[in-house]
């Protein structure tokens, strides 16, 4: 296990053993944090974006689905959820290459 601090909230957590963590830049130069558990072929990506203050979660989700459409197919409508007390949307889909299921 290792400690990791979320750079947006400065909240620290413990990453379980077997997970690797690294930071890299996406195509727009923003920092993303990639958590990989190779033994289970699982990857989690954490990123943070600034959006218009008047944008709703639904606005953001629709823009995200459009923005990543060249790399993945994601369901246009998602399921509402509450994550750590915050409104969230969960969408399912598939990466184009390699073909793999995803959940965002």
């Amino acid at each position: 296990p290792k400690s990791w601090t979320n750079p947006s909230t400065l909240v620290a957590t413990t990453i379980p053993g077997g997970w690797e963590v690294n930071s890299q830049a996406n195509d727009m130069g923003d920092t993303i944090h990639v958590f990989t558990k190779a033994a289970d072929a699982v990857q989690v990506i954490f990123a943070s974006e600034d959006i218009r203050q008047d944008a709703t979660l639904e606005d953001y989700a629709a823009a995200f689905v459009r923005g990543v459409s060249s790399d993945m197919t994601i369901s246009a409508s998602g399921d509402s959820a509450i994550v750590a007390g915050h409104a969230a949307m969960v969408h399912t889909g598939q990466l184009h290459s390699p073909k793999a299921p995803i959940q965002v």
Side-chain angles (χ1 to χ4, degrees):
K2 62 188 117 205
S3 179
W4 182 77
T5 301
N6 178 323
S8 296
T9 64
L10 302 180
V11 173
T13 189
T14 300
I15 305 300
W19 286 85
E20 295 297 322
V21 181
N22 69 61
S23 298
Q24 58 194 47
N26 65 12
D27 294 343
M28 298 182 307
D30 299 318
T31 300
I32 61 173
H33 306 278
V34 181
F35 303 80
T36 305
K37 188 171 184 187
D40 295 334
V42 173
Q43 194 168 59
V44 176
I45 298 173
F46 170 79
S48 178
E49 295 182 89
D50 292 324
I51 60 171
R52 292 186 346 254
Q53 191 167 353
D54 64 336
T56 66
L57 180 58
E58 290 77 12
D59 293 338
Y60 177 79
F64 181 83
V65 168
R66 285 190 308 273
V68 300
S69 63
S70 63
D71 297 316
M72 57 191 82
T73 301
I74 301 174
S75 60
S77 62
D79 295 323
S80 296
I82 300 294
V83 177
H86 299 280
M89 301 286 295
V90 179
H91 293 254
T92 58
Q94 182 170 345
L95 288 174
H96 294 168
S97 179
K99 293 221 179 277
I102 59 171
Q103 186 178 65
V104 297

